Amino acid sequence: MDDIDKQLCRLAMDIQYKCQQFFFGEMAFNYFADQNKELVVRRRTQLRL
């Protein structure tokens, strides 16, 4: 494995990363941002007999 092979692998990984950012970046950002908004504090109630 020489430097040209490493450069080719790095190029392929960069392309894959940029494609993921382009197609899923905003969706992933919105998903995690919405999780914080949807946090609901729930009270636990005990059944008393």
Side-chain angles (χ1 to χ4, degrees):
M1 190 168 181
D2 59 2
D3 287 335
I4 293 174
D5 293 332
K6 291 179 184 178
Q7 290 173 356
L8 179 61
C9 290
R10 182 166 293 164
L11 176 64
M13 291 179 67
D14 286 343
I15 291 171
Q16 188 243 357
Y17 178 71
K18 293 293 183 184
C19 288
Q20 282 183 343
Q21 270 189 322
F22 178 77
F23 289 110
F24 303 110
E26 187 174 340
M27 181 175 32
F29 175 79
N30 290 336
Y31 173 77
F32 288 112
D34 289 343
Q35 278 187 338
N36 291 334
K37 292 179 189 175
E38 295 176 3
L39 180 62
V40 177
V41 177
R42 296 182 182 171
R43 290 180 49 194
R44 293 186 180 200
T45 58
Q46 293 179 348
L47 180 62
R48 296 182 184 198
L49 299 176

